[in-house]
Every structure is written in C-alpha cells, then in structure tokens.
C-alpha cells in the first residue's frame, strides 16, 4: 500500500523512514518527547519524489552513469550531478500532488513563513549522518515558492557532495529516495548547535553548545565564530564568548539576509548561563530518548527553545558495554598488535576466544581494561613504565586520565601476599635449546591440529575447536614461553639503559640485534628474496607476473619455460608463510595462500632491485655489524672504571638478547598458523551451509560470532537481517579511528610527545631503530600497491609481520602506529633500517614521492624541500 503524498510530522517516526526520510522521522519522534518543542509542519513523502522522477526516464540513465563513475573523478561527478539536478528541477509537479501540498499549507497558514528541508532515506542514520549533504531553504513564503523549493530539495539529492558521500559510504544512488519537510519558521533571537557529547574528545559527560545571534545559518556557513559553552553535570565548566559581527535574519517578504550586529551587542553572549544549562537539560532528555549522543540544532525565540533537528553523532568512537555505571579505562589491543582496522564479528570473537586476557569490543576493535591496575598505587607505576617503554603515547594518555581525579579511584594497596609456594620462578638460562624446544613443541601441536581437524564436521567440529582453543592457550600460556619472550625484551631494555648511562650512546641494542638468529618474521622477508632469485633468470616468467590480475596465476605459470621452478619456489614459500596477511589477527582477512597474487608486486620489486644471493649477503652483513658493535662496546667498557665488571655484564646481556630476541616473533606465527587451520575448517562448514541453502555466500559467516555460527550449524537457521545489519555496521566502523586509550565516559585519548629536542617543523614519533636516512617517501596503504625502488622510505599506517617482505627493499620506515617492541620495530632493527613509529598523521602529512629524512635515533622525521 502506497503512502499518501503528504503526512503531518506528528504522525511519523523511524518506522516510516522509507516514506519520510531520516530527518522527518527524527522530527516526528522528537515532537512526541515530553517538554520538547518542534516547529509544526508536514512531510512530502518519497512516493511524491518517485512519481515526479518517473516522469523523466532520462534520470535512470543518469543514475546508472553516476553509479559507475569514479568518486575521485570530480569533473565527471560534477557534470553528471548537475545534469541530474537540472532534469529533476525541470519536471512539472502534477496537479494533484501540488494540490496536496498547498492543501497542507492552508492547515498551517498559507501565507506564513516556512523552512523547506530535505529528508533523504539515507540521512541521519546511526552510522552515517549525511549532515549538510542535501539542501535546506529558510523563510520561504507562498504556495508557488513552496512548490519550487520542494523541487529544489528533490534535486539536491544529487549535489556533487551528496553523490560523492554516498559512493564513499557504499550506498547505491538508486536506492535512496527524497522526502521534503515543510515546517513553520521560527524567527529566533539566537540559534546554534548542541552536542550532547564532546565532539572532539568523545567525553559523554561533557555537552558542548555553540550559539550565535539570529538564524543558525551564520554558524553553519562559517560566517561568524560561535560562543562555545561546555557543560558537565549541570554546570558550565568552560565558555568562550566570540565577537559576533554578523548575523543572518529572515526578511519580511521571504528569504534571508546577512546583517551587521550592533557593536554594543557583538561581545555579549548569545545565551545566558541559565539558558545554556536549560538547553543541555533538554538535550539530555533527547539523548536518553534516542539512546545515544545527539547533534541537535536549536533556536531560541521568546526564551523558548525550539528543536529543529536531532541526529546521532556518528564520529564518536563507541564505548564498550559493561552493564554498570562504574568508571573504566581501556587500552587498545590493535595498537599493540599492529592492526587498528575494524574487525568483522567472527574475527573479534575468535581473538577474544583465544586471547590470554579478557577483552572488550567497541567500534569493531578490541580493548583491555586496566582500571584496577591503574587505580592501585602498587601496580600503577609498573604499568605506566611498561606501557611507556612500549609506546610513550599510551603512557601520556594514561597520565592524562589519572589527572581526572573523578575518573580513576585511588585504591589502597592490597595487603602483602604470603610467600608463594616454591618462591619466585628461577630466571631462564641463556640457552638456545630453550628456544628450539619451544618451537618444536609449537610445531608438533600445530601439526596435530591439522591432522585431527580433517575428520571433524558439523557440531562436532565446534566441540573440537573449543578443545583446540584450550590447547592453543596452553601452548601460549606456558610460563617458559612468556619467560623467553620477556628475556629478549628485558635484555634489550637493559642494554639500551646501561650503555646510554655508561657510554652516552642511545639505542645501542639496535645494532647489537642485527640478524639475530631464529626470527621467523625477518626470515620470511629474506626468503622472498630467494624466491626472486629463482624467478629472475626466466624472462617469460617475469613478463607473465607483470600482467597477473587474479589469484589463479600459478596454474598458468607452470606452463612457461622456468615456470615449474617458479611455481615450486612460490608454493614452498606459501607452505611456510601462506597463513600470513595484512591484519592477520582478524581470522576473516584473506591469507596469502588464499590470495597469492598479493605477493607478486613484492616479488617483482625484489627481482628488479636486488642481485642474486641478496638474502644471504644481507643476513651475513647484519651479523658482521652486530659482532663488530659488540667488540667495540666491550672494548670501550673495559677502559672505564670498574670496566671488567661492566663488560662482563654487558657480554652476558648481548648473548642473552641474541639468544631470545628472535623468538619474540614466534608466538604470533604460532597463533596465525592455528588461525588458518580454524578458518579453513569454518569455511568448509560455510560451504556446506551454502549448498544447503542456509547461507547466501560463504563469507556471510564472517558477520557471525563463533557461537552464533555454531548455532547456525546446529539449527540450519540464520537471520539474514542480522547479517546485513552487521555488514552495514562494519562498514561504518571502518571510517572510525580507534584511540590508544578509551574511557567509559567515551573520552578518546591518543597522548602527545612532551619533547623539545626536535626541530620545529619535524614530525615527532618514537625512535625504534637507530640511524639516519634520507630518501623518497613511498606512502603505501595496501601491501598489494607497493612499488618500491632501492633507497625508498616506507610510510604507512601500521606494519604487522606481513609487511616484512617490503622491509628488505627499503632504506627506512615511518608508521603512524607502533611501539618499541611491536613487530615492525623489531624487524626494522634486525634489518638495520632507521625507523620512527607513532608519527601522528604520517600518511596524510607526508606526500608520496616527497623527500624526507628519518632520524631513527632521535625519533623524528624532517620534510625536505
């Protein structure tokens, strides 16, 4: 049954978004909240829009062309958008539709002034606000002008900015419809915007009010700076009164104009303090009604507030759900694991299932709660020290949180515990056999997992996987495993601290760890150089690889001269490392074994940039430099007072770091190896569900949790709407940037470097691998898009182990995310690459192709002319 062409605002809510669009649906619901005044009016429904557009068949052709155009081709988007708008504006409004609209006007006052406002079906959504994407017209008077502006609103669905925004949000133009809201004008003394959460920090406790004189257009257009008030717990905690020289006022005959504000009023506040507090109280009522923070447009007339719009604030990072009102502080898992992208539900649930620590989900990312450790003075100092060693920005963010005395309670220290049975664990010996033993146990466990999972299907598979997860956690939770990891890290810290104290040398361990043995991640990068050595002599193979466009290339490759050898080399590489990929902690990400074409550009770079035998020479050169550095350090120490003792202690630590630092990378390799086995088994079940008609496609399982998938396998029933909702939510999460530290009040903190020892225009970061290098910056956001030359400096968001094959081809590294002991930092040190990580906005502030100088010892990057 079709909707009427015109409905009153008081008749609609979110159940009728398809008919009235997001804005009208919100206004209808707002109008029914006790104490909230919404200007009266009506909505011209989407049925009216569809009927009008159907009168011009050329619109369909224009929409087809718009859906195919590249959103970055601004000229094409501009031309097609303008043609679509002109076509729609040129369509005559049918007589019965015009009569319905003018008839509604008589009920509200035919000659009154109205606001005519767009209300698209993809607007004011929880995941995409579309703020400012379509048009609004103020102070429109008379039926003829109303009809004209309704047509303009329909056409504004295809402004250049709206078309581009929809494409970037993955929304098909042909699925969006336009309704139009017609409301009685409020002629305000003041107007503005209220955010019920701080839009900058995310703090849900702090509301922000922007206010100016006259209509709100002056603020929206940037004509004036607003007065800004911040309100927390019913009190104004900060305010800044701007000099408001201009305002926008309604004209008696219709339309608006910009006017000068009387000089005596310019620096007067647009609202009194009492009005600000009252407005925020109204905002809190609206927020409670909608269940999430709101961006609210308001007008003040005769000391009454009128609400003319409310939409969710879509830029806020979500807060983990706890079910209590207690304060909580969380640290990002993604910043530790070098994976800050949003994860799909199956990825989130599998990582939580296999993690050694309880984790919380928010915004498609994982967080660990540290409130108890932060609240207790006994554990706080150690936590801050550990966090600071890894990433100073996390420490700074946590210290900022601690300054909020009302957020983290200071708990008394717990009473001293009695002596543990057996006393403290014996320090691990510096014995390579410890590492080889741990690796052998891991390999045997993974091999057993591969053998046993083959016989399991259906619900029995899920029972088996739950048992496998316990084995997974037992292997990783082995105290010896943790001791081996910490031994290498602690030896690194000891060497850096002591050698700076004794010799005045920063980051000396960076050279001492070059080509440390047994690092599975650095070996992975060097092994791809060996693959290039096999391929390089075969010109037809090289030419074929340059044209590879899909992942089925290995079948064809084997038919070429030299192709069998090339295939064997690539297959052998995939047998060892095919379970890896970018963002590998998310089990849903495609692995190299699934998409081997990802490696082809890197192999071709290696063929072009290196000579045969480069892997062996690279490794030997690093080992030689480390040995020379060791001899130099020990010689200098022996010349110091008490030098023999210092040299002996340092020699023991060098042996220790070279024994254990390579193992730092192995547990992740173990985890990802198991993940690939789990994934293949789950995709096998997904294939059976697709063949049974339960799922539309295999990858739909990525939008279910492990338990939900288990239930689907048992029942053969799935909620298709849930899967679609999860896909939409995941897409919205991709646009969010996770903070390093997050509080239960929603405050998102990323910390700052408190340093005055870097050049004024330099980009500051964390020094993780010593040395200085100058070269061409290559900003690479996707491994498959890498096109590197020898001497280039890799600039990217984050690097997990899958990026290490690129490290052999570059001269330096800059990342936005990272810490002293994260994977990219460890591999940069092993390869001897000067590296600076944690550089805020590096991929935006450094242009691809720009020359830069990376100060890996000082921890900053200079942009060169």
């Amino acid at each position: 049954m079709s909707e009427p062409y015109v409905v009153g605002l008081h008749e609609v809510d979110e159940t009728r978004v398809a008919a009235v669009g997001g804005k009208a649906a919100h206004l209808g619901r707002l109008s029914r909240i006790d104490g909230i005044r919404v200007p009266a009016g009506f909505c011209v429904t989407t049925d009216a829009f569809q009927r009008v557009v159907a009168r011009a068949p050329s619109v369909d052709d224009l929409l087809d062309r718009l859906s195919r155009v590249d959103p970055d081709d601004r000229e094409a988007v501009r031309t097609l958008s303008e043609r679509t708008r002109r076509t729609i504006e040129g369509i005559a409004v049918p007589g019965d539709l015009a009569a319905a609209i003018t008839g509604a006007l008589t009920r509200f006052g035919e000659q009154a002034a109205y606001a005519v406002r767009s209300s698209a079906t993809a607007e004011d959504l929880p995941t995409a606000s579309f703020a400012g994407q379509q048009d609004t017209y103020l102070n429109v008077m008379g039926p003829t002008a109303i009809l004209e502006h309704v047509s303009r609103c329909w056409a504004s669905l295809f402004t250049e900015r709206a078309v581009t925004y929809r494409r970037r949000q993955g929304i098909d133009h042909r699925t969006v419809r336009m309704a139009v809201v017609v409301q009685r004008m409020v002629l305000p003394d003041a107007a503005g915007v209220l955010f019920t959460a701080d839009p900058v920090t995310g703090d849900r406790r702090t509301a922000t009010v922007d206010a100016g004189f006259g209509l709100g257009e002056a603020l929206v257009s940037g004509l004036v700076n607003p007065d800004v008030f911040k309100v927390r717990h019913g009190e104004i905690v900060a305010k800044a009164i701007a000099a408001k020289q201009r305002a926008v006022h309604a004209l008696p005959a219709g339309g608006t104009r910009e006017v000068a504000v009387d000089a005596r009023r310019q620096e007067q506040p647009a609202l009194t303090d009492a009005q600000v507090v009252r407005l925020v109280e109204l905002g809190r009522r609206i927020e409670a009604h909608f269940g999430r923070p709101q961006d609210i447009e308001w007008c003040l007339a005769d000391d009454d507030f009128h609400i003319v719009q409310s939409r969710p604030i879509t830029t806020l990072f979500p807060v983990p759900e706890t079910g209590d009102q207690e304060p909580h502080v969380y640290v990002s898992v993604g910043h530790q694991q070098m994976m800050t992208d949003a994860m799909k539900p199956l990825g989130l649930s599998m990582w939580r299932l296999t993690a050694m620590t309880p984790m919380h989900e928010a915004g498609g990312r994982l967080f660990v709660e540290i409130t108890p450790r932060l609240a207790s003075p006994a554990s706080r100092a150690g936590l801050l020290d550990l966090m600071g060693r890894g990433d100073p920005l996390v420490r700074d963010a946590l210290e900022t949180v601690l300054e909020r005395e009302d957020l983290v309670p200071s708990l008394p220290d717990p009473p001293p515990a009695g002596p543990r049975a057996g006393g403290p664990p014996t320090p691990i010996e510096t014995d390579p056999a410890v590492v080889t033993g741990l690796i052998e146990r891991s390999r045997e466990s993974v091999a057993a997992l591969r053998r046993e999972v083959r016989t399991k299907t259906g619900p029995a598979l899920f029972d088996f996987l739950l048992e496998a997860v316990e084995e997974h956690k037992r292997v990783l939770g082995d105290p010896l495993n943790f001791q081996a990891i910490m031994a290498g890290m602690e030896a690194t810290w000891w060497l850096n601290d002591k050698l700076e104290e004794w010799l005045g040398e920063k980051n000396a361990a960076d050279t001492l760890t070059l080509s440390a043995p047994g690092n599975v991640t650095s070996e992975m990068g060097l092994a791809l150089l060996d693959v290039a050595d096999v391929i390089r002599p075969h010109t037809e193979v090289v030419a074929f690889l340059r044209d590879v466009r899909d992942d089925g290339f290995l079948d064809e490759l084997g038919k070429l001269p030299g192709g069998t050898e090339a295939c064997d080399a690539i297959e052998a590489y995939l047998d060892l490392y095919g379970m890896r990929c970018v963002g590998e902690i998310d089990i849903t990400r495609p692995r190299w074994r699934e998409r081997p074409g990802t490696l082809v550009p890197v192999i071709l770079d290696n063929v072009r940039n290196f000579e045969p035998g480069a892997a062996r020479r690279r490794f030997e050169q690093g080992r030689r430099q480390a040995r020379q550095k060791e001899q130099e350090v020990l010689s200098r120490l022996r010349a110091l007072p008490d030098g023999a003792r210092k040299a002996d202690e340092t020699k023991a630590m060098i042996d220790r770091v070279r024994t254990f630092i390579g193992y730092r990378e192995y547990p992740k390799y173990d985890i990802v190896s198991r993940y690939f086995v789990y994934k293949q088994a789950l995709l096998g079940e997904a294939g059976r569900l697709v063949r049974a008609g339960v799922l539309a496609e295999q990858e739909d399982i990525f939008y279910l949790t492990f338990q939900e998938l288990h239930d689907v396998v048992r029942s053969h029933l799935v909620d298709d709407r849930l899967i679609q909702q999860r896909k939409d939510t995941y897409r919205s999460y991709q646009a969010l940037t996770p903070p390093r530290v997050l509080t239960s009040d929603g405050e998102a903190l990323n910390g700052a470097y408190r340093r005055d020892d870097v050049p004024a225009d330099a980009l500051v970061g964390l020094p993780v691998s010593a040395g200085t290098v100058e070269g061409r910056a290559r900003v690479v956001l996707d491994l498959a898009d890498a096109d590197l030359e020898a001497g280039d400096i890799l600039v990217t968001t984050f690097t997990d182990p899958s990026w290490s094959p690129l490290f052999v081809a570059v001269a330096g590294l800059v990342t936005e995310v990272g810490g002293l002991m994260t994977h990219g930092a460890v591999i940069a040190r092993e390869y001897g690459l000067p590296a600076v990580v944690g550089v805020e906005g590096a991929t935006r502030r450094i242009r691809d192709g720009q020359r830069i100088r990376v100060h890996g010892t000082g921890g900053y990057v200079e942009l060169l002319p």
Side-chain angles (χ1 to χ4, degrees):
M1 178 178 166
S2 64
E3 289 274 352
Y5 291 133
V6 173
V7 294
L9 278 181
H10 63 282
E11 301 175 55
V12 303
D13 59 21
E14 278 84 350
T15 63
R16 296 176 73 179
V17 167
V20 301
K23 183 179 290 148
H26 273 218
L27 286 169
R29 192 165 162 191
L30 276 168
S31 68
R32 290 195 285 280
I33 302 174
D34 186 41
I36 302 300
R37 299 190 63 174
V38 175
F42 60 89
C43 180
V44 183
T45 65
T46 55
D47 278 359
F49 169 79
Q50 288 178 269
R51 180 175 170 197
V52 167
V53 170
R55 294 165 69 93
S58 61
V59 171
D60 278 341
D61 175 59
L62 288 166
L63 295 188
D64 283 338
R65 292 169 66 185
L66 271 174
S67 67
R68 293 192 300 268
V69 73
D70 183 342
D72 292 324
D73 186 347
R74 296 189 61 183
E75 186 57 39
V77 170
R78 184 180 299 116
T79 301
L80 286 169
S81 300
E82 185 173 351
R83 286 182 59 188
T84 306
R85 290 198 308 280
R86 296 291 164 262
T87 301
I88 292 172
E89 286 181 14
I91 302 170
V93 179
D96 61 329
L97 175 52
I101 295 171
T102 55
L105 285 175
T106 61
R107 292 196 298 276
F108 294 98
E110 191 170 296
Q111 297 306 316
Y114 289 88
V116 182
R117 314 171 68 197
S118 305
S119 181
T121 51
E123 185 174 7
D124 292 353
L125 304 177
T127 56
S129 75
F130 284 79
Q133 300 306 314
Q134 283 88 220
D135 288 347
T136 287
Y137 301 96
L138 300 178
N139 204 36
V140 182
M141 303 175 73
T144 301
I146 295 286
L147 289 173
E148 176 189 335
H149 286 85
V150 167
S151 287
R152 288 188 186 178
C153 282
W154 286 334
S156 76
L157 190 60
F158 301 102
T159 61
E160 180 186 349
R161 62 185 181 272
V163 166
T164 302
Y165 188 89
R166 282 196 295 273
R167 281 297 301 275
R168 298 229 160 105
Q169 291 284 332
I171 296 172
D172 187 339
H173 305 302
R174 288 162 296 195
T175 65
V176 183
R177 305 283 182 260
M178 178 67 84
V180 181
V181 173
V182 181
Q183 281 178 286
R184 285 289 298 260
M185 271 293 293
V186 175
L187 303 179
D189 304 310
V193 181
L194 159 64
F195 297 96
T196 63
D198 190 312
V200 177
T201 68
D203 186 352
R204 269 60 164 182
R205 299 173 302 169
T206 303
T208 301
V209 175
D210 289 2
F213 294 127
L215 293 167
E217 291 303 291
L219 304 188
V220 173
S221 64
L223 180 64
V224 297
N225 291 324
D227 297 339
V228 179
F229 303 86
K230 291 190 179 294
V231 178
R232 186 181 301 136
H233 302 315
E235 294 184 6
I236 295 175
V237 294
K239 63 180 171 181
I241 307 305
K244 300 170 287 297
Q245 297 175 339
R246 313 292 292 172
V248 174
H249 283 227
L251 294 170
T256 61
R257 77 171 179 188
E258 179 186 320
V259 297
V261 175
D262 186 291
R264 290 168 297 182
R265 293 188 67 212
Q266 287 179 6
E267 296 193 17
Q268 289 180 2
L271 298 176
T272 67
D273 287 1
Q275 287 171 334
V276 170
V277 171
R278 178 154 50 95
L279 174 61
V280 171
E281 287 172 355
L282 294 175
R284 292 293 182 211
R285 194 176 302 176
I286 294 169
E287 177 184 64
H289 185 81
F290 286 110
R292 58 184 299 163
Q294 297 287 301
D295 164 357
I296 299 167
E297 295 180 21
W298 55 270
C299 299
L300 178 71
D302 299 325
D303 199 35
D304 268 339
F305 285 104
H306 301 257
I307 305 302
V308 296
Q309 187 154 313
S310 184
R311 60 169 73 92
I313 308 175
T314 58
T315 55
L316 295 178
F317 199 85
V319 176
E321 294 181 9
T322 59
D324 63 40
Q325 298 300 312
E326 297 302 312
H328 301 275
V329 180
Y330 306 93
V331 171
S332 164
V333 172
H335 285 79
Q336 308 303 313
Q337 292 293 335
M338 296 296 92
M339 164 56 177
T340 55
D341 292 347
M343 295 169 69
K344 297 186 180 77
L346 185 62
L348 290 164
S349 70
M350 288 300 295
W351 192 260
R352 293 176 78 175
L353 194 64
T354 55
M356 307 301 291
T357 305
M359 293 185 178
H360 303 263
E361 184 269 327
R365 279 79 169 186
L366 292 170
F367 294 84
V368 172
E369 182 174 8
I370 58 166
T371 320
R373 293 181 66 191
L374 206 58
S376 167
S379 57
R380 182 187 305 150
L383 175 69
L384 291 175
D385 183 59
L386 184 65
M387 293 289 180
R389 282 187 178 274
D391 183 347
L393 292 177
V394 173
R395 176 173 185 146
D396 184 77
L398 291 176
E399 287 175 337
T400 301
V401 168
L402 287 169
E403 290 171 5
R404 318 267 201 269
E405 294 181 359
D406 60 336
L407 186 57
V408 180
S410 187
L411 301 177
D413 289 340
R420 286 189 300 177
T426 305
I428 190 172
E429 293 295 323
T430 303
D431 182 358
V434 172
V435 171
T436 54
L438 286 167
I439 289 174
E440 188 55 36
R441 265 181 278 174
S442 165
R443 286 175 177 164
E444 289 172 0
S445 178
V446 173
L449 172 65
R450 289 196 182 104
R451 283 194 309 272
E452 294 169 25
V453 78
R454 292 177 191 144
T455 62
K456 307 294 190 294
T457 60
L461 169 66
F462 288 81
D463 294 338
F464 171 78
L465 288 178
L466 288 172
E467 293 173 9
V469 164
E470 291 310 308
E471 166 67 3
H472 174 136
K473 293 165 85 168
R474 187 191 66 76
V475 170
L476 290 174
D478 182 343
L480 193 62
N481 179 54
F482 181 72
Q483 285 178 290
I485 294 170
M486 291 307 298
M489 294 169 64
E490 288 167 351
T492 301
W493 297 335
W494 189 96
L495 286 167
N496 280 335
D497 290 347
K498 291 298 185 182
L499 294 181
E500 183 170 5
E501 176 189 340
W502 293 338
L503 299 177
E505 184 169 343
K506 285 187 175 182
N507 303 325
D510 293 359
T511 308
L512 294 167
T513 54
L514 287 171
S515 297
N519 187 317
V520 68
T521 305
S522 61
E523 288 168 357
M524 178 172 71
L526 296 174
L528 208 57
L529 288 175
D530 292 335
V531 173
D533 285 353
V534 174
I535 289 170
R536 190 179 292 104
H538 305 293
T539 54
E540 288 187 56
V541 169
V542 173
F544 171 83
L545 290 176
R546 288 195 185 111
D547 291 328
V548 163
R549 295 292 178 269
D550 60 51
D551 295 304
F553 69 94
L554 288 171
D555 294 336
E556 294 300 314
L557 181 60
K559 300 172 185 176
L560 300 174
T564 301
E565 296 94 317
C567 275
D568 289 347
I570 294 171
E571 287 286 358
Y573 186 86
L574 291 173
D575 286 344
L576 284 173
Y577 307 113
M579 76 294 288
R580 310 218 81 150
C581 68
V582 173
E584 60 194 10
I585 71 168
D586 183 351
I587 197 172
T588 72
R589 289 289 189 104
R591 311 284 138 173
W592 290 344
R593 172 55 81 181
E594 296 167 313
R595 291 195 187 165
T598 306
L599 293 172
V600 169
V602 189
I603 293 170
L604 289 172
D605 283 348
N606 288 348
V607 167
R608 183 176 69 247
N609 293 331
F610 294 94
E611 296 296 324
R616 178 180 48 77
R617 286 196 302 276
R618 224 19 219 269
F619 188 77
E620 287 303 321
Q621 179 187 358
R623 190 154 61 180
R624 188 165 54 251
Q625 286 179 257
R627 192 180 304 120
Q628 290 170 351
K629 184 67 175 179
E630 176 182 335
Q631 292 168 353
E632 174 215 322
V633 163
L634 296 178
S635 175
R636 290 169 62 195
L637 286 172
R638 290 189 185 103
L640 299 176
D642 198 19
R645 178 189 61 81
K646 291 173 180 172
D648 288 347
E649 289 180 4
T650 301
K651 170 61 176 165
M653 282 298 176
I654 292 172
D655 291 345
R656 193 166 179 78
V657 80
R658 292 194 66 81
T659 297
F660 290 112
I661 199 63
Y663 184 70
R664 162 75 180 81
E665 293 293 299
Y666 200 86
K668 183 77 172 284
Y669 179 80
D670 176 283
I671 292 169
V672 176
S673 298
R674 293 172 191 276
Y675 263 37
F676 193 37
V677 179
Y678 304 156
K679 181 180 185 181
Q680 289 173 308
L682 294 173
L683 283 174
E685 283 303 306
R688 285 184 274 276
L689 291 170
V690 170
R691 290 190 291 276
V694 178
L695 290 178
E697 52 188 326
Q698 275 186 298
E699 294 192 354
D700 281 351
I701 69 167
F702 295 163
Y703 298 93
L704 299 171
T705 66
F706 180 84
Q707 185 57 54
E708 288 168 347
L709 179 55
H710 191 178
D711 294 340
V712 170
V713 168
R714 273 201 304 259
S715 67
H716 270 216
L717 297 172
V718 69
D719 185 345
D720 293 327
R721 289 172 304 175
L722 175 66
I723 289 175
Q724 186 55 52
Q725 178 192 342
R726 293 268 178 82
K727 288 179 179 179
D728 293 341
T729 301
Y730 170 71
R731 187 168 58 241
S732 74
Y733 286 162
Q734 286 179 297
L736 299 176
T737 300
R740 285 175 169 82
V741 172
L742 181 66
T743 74
S744 49
D745 289 322
E747 194 169 5
L749 301 107
N750 280 294
Y753 295 106
R754 314 292 177 179
R755 296 176 55 188
D756 54 10
D757 59 342
V758 299
D761 296 329
L763 308 184
V764 184
L766 176 65
V768 295
S769 185
T772 301
V773 65
E774 181 179 319
R776 179 180 67 159
R778 296 314 309 263
V779 179
V780 181
L781 301 179
D782 187 332
L783 188 71
D785 296 335
D787 180 15
L788 301 168
E789 300 285 350
D792 284 347
I793 296 169
L794 175 62
V795 180
T796 191
T797 312
F798 59 80
T799 60
D800 60 10
S802 68
W803 286 78
S804 65
L806 291 189
F807 286 20
V808 299
V810 298
L813 173 69
V814 179
T815 69
E816 294 182 349
V817 176
L820 191 62
M821 281 297 170
T822 48
H823 303 278
V826 171
I827 305 307
R829 288 194 290 273
E830 291 229 354
Y831 285 171
L833 301 178
V836 180
V837 303
V839 179
E840 191 71 29
T843 59
R844 177 175 39 83
R845 297 161 73 187
I846 299 173
R847 298 190 316 274
D848 185 48
Q850 181 176 16
R851 289 195 68 78
I852 62 174
R853 186 179 297 124
V854 178
H855 294 262
T857 306
Y860 61 94
V861 180
E862 288 183 280
L863 308 181
L864 303 178

